[in-house]
Amino acid sequence: MNTSFKPAEMLAVINSPFAEQLGIGFSVNGKEMSRGMYNLLISKRDMNLFVRGMVAHRHWRFGDVKKYFGLSGGKEKVCKQIEELLAIMQSGKHNEIIESIVARSKKVTI
């Protein structure tokens, strides 16, 4: 699976709170789910609202989403990146992509 993430962008995601919380599980409707994956799903919903001019709730902040996922850019770019992250996670190929990004990142300075 090809991604539009640059190596430095993917490294930021790998080092973000999102990546740390992928291993933390909790129960959602009686089923185990990763806290990071749950936040990714909710953030996809919230970003799609934000791109259309709405906010999910009064305490929701765009900067919090960018910081949590280690993303940068405007609302359209971040929305696209979140949708791409979700596709990567759902495809099950996230480990392959992370390994290839980390291997390429040894050549990239951040």
Side-chain angles (χ1 to χ4, degrees), residues 35-105:
R35 184 174 303 272
M37 190 64 177
Y38 176 81
N39 286 333
L40 180 61
L41 290 167
I42 297 302
S43 294
K44 178 184 181 276
R45 176 204 65 189
D46 294 348
M47 282 303 301
N48 280 313
L49 286 172
F50 187 61
V51 166
R52 289 167 179 77
M54 296 178 266
V55 288
H57 51 84
R58 68 180 179 175
H59 298 292
W60 185 89
R61 298 290 178 264
F62 179 52
D64 293 342
V65 174
K66 288 172 44 170
K67 190 182 301 181
Y68 179 76
F69 290 101
L71 302 174
S72 61
K75 58 186 178 182
E76 289 86 9
K77 180 181 178 186
V78 171
C79 186
K80 182 180 176 224
Q81 288 176 326
I82 285 180
E83 289 174 353
E84 191 171 347
L85 266 177
L86 182 60
I88 289 168
M89 297 302 292
Q90 289 177 335
S91 73
K93 296 187 178 191
H94 53 280
N95 289 331
E96 295 172 22
I97 292 170
I98 290 170
E99 288 170 9
S100 69
I101 294 294
V102 169
R104 282 190 283 158
S105 70

